[in-house]
């Protein structure tokens, strides 16, 4: 096959066959096709579009570029969850043990944070000693033994996606829904799952700012999963304000642990229960998602979810004492309160800017090689809808970067806007399953 001919065909809005797409992806991953040719193809596809068959072929090519795990030896219907990323999103850490405690095996492979959003892996690694770099053999045997495993992306999974994503990042070709969906699904399908629950976020702190585009992404993700014979449900959720109170690795893990202790954390507990309910249903341990939600609540109130999380932490080398009592976590940090610049009712807190300040405080990274400080971050003391007086404490920042404190405090105060109070948007705006939006919604 001639790559130039394939690029020209896509440039002229023609269709490529599965074999042709596999050829381009395989040649690029092997290093036989230069960056400039695959970049030209990506831009032509970005501008002229990929058909559903082409998007599926791209997913298949990236999936088959690495190992596809076989979990058929592990009993049960294996279900995972994926979030498109948000600020303060610690849901996976509390949700996975809830689902596993209900008897549905959860094999979870997560990413690290980059830019304004955090990553589950960095949050988990805030637990002293906890390893996320398990081998595939360890991953499979832990799943078989305790029904729960949470690890990081390995080099063996979808290497073509890693290479293509890095190229898309520098060629202006990230924000195209079939590229995003095939990238996410190539990694999720490689995990060996039977079902997937997707939390597709929209809003000013999300990857997709526009609700309509987030809907399209949800439809495309579920469509790819279904085409692979996997059951899938997507929820469209609001990311116009940060989720919960905590932003930063240990602060967020601590908040997830609070949920596991049965505390009700605004927004976080709702997402945990609803999404866990979907997973429990897909995993065959409830006859509907609503019944699954009841099971999820029972796993939380009985302490079974907390016990499952401790079991996983111990198995992965982490210190279970911080799960039993998060107050025993000690690490150096400086904590400073941020005060309101005016009086009024809070109507919004800009998650994108807050995420960026958290990165500056040491909680995240601008480059993949940056180190993160587990204690760094921001804890909100007030949420939208709360009334505050000028100079009242509205947030607390934690950092080791003494020189950043003053600027960060001023930037955090600017993230709060005052006006009519919280909007009446639903936290969970709609649900997509079996090719339809059901119109269900859930408040915070
Ligand atoms: N996340 C991914 O994994 N891939 C994309 O293309 C975008 C977000």
């Amino acid at each position: 096959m001639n790559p130039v001919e394939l690029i020209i065909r896509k440039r002229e809005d023609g269709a490529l066959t599965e074999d042709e797409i596999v050829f381009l992806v395989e040649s690029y991953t092997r290093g036989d096709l230069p960056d400039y040719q695959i970049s030209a193809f990506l831009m032509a596809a970005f501008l002229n579009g990929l058909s559903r068959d082409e998007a599926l072929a791209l997913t298949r090519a990236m999936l088959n570029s690495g190992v596809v795990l076989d979990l058929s030896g592990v009993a049960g219907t294996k279900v995972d969850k994926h979030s498109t990323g948000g600020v303060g999103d610690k849901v996976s850490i509390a949700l996975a043990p809830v689902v596993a405690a209900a008897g549905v095996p959860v094999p979870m492979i997560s990413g690290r944070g980059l830019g304004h959003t955090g990553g589950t892996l960095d949050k988990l690694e805030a637990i002293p000693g906890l390893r996320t770099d398990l081998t595939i053999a360890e991953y499979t045997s832990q799943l078989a033994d305790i029904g729960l495993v949470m690890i990081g992306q390995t080099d063996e999974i979808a290497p073509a996606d890693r290479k293509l994503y890095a190229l898309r990042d520098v060629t202006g070709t990230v924000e195209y829904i079939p590229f995003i969906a095939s990238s996410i699904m190539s990694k999720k399908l490689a995990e060996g799952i039977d079902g997937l629950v997707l939390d597709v976020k929209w809003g000013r702190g999300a990857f997709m700012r526009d609700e309509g585009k987030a809907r399209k992404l949800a439809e495309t993700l579920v469509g790819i999963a279904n085409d692979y014979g996997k059951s899938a449900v997507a929820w469209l959720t609001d990311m116009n304000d940060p989720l919960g109170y905590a932003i930063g690795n240990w602060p967020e893990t601590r908040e997830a642990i609070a949920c596991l202790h049965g505390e009700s954390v605004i927004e976080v507990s709702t997402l945990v229960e609803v999404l866990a309910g979907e997973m429990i249903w897909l995993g065959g341990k409830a006859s509907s998602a609503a019944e699954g939600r009841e099971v999820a609540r029972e796993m939380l109130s009985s302490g079974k979810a907390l016990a499952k999380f401790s079991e996983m932490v111990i198995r992965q080398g982490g210190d279970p004492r911080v799960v039993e009592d998060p107050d025993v976590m000690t690490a150096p940090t400086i904590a400073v309160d941020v005060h309101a610049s005016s009086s009024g009712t809070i109507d919004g807190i800009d998650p994108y800017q807050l995420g960026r300040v958290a990165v500056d405080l040491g909680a995240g990274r601008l480059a993949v090689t940056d180190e993160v400080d587990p204690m760094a971050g921001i804890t909100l003391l007030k949420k939208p809808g709360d009334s505050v007086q000028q100079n009242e404490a509205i947030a607390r920042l934690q950092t080791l970067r003494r020189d950043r404190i003053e600027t960060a405090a001023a930037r955090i105060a600017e993230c709060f806007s005052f006006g009519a109070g919280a909007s009446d948007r639903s936290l969970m705006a709609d649900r997509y399953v079996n090719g339809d939006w059901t119109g269900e919604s859930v408040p915070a």
Side-chain angles (χ1 to χ4, degrees), residues 165 168 179-180 183-184 187 207:
Y165 194 13
R168 283 167 53 212
F179 285 168
I180 299 169
S183 163
I184 292 172
K187 290 173 284 203
F207 197 62

Side-chain angles (χ1 to χ4, degrees), residues 104-126:
V104 176
V106 182
M108 194 175 271
I109 302 187
S110 308
R112 296 194 180 280
L114 187 62
H116 75 287
T117 63
T120 298
L121 216 54
D122 295 320
K123 294 171 201 178
L124 274 177
E125 286 177 354

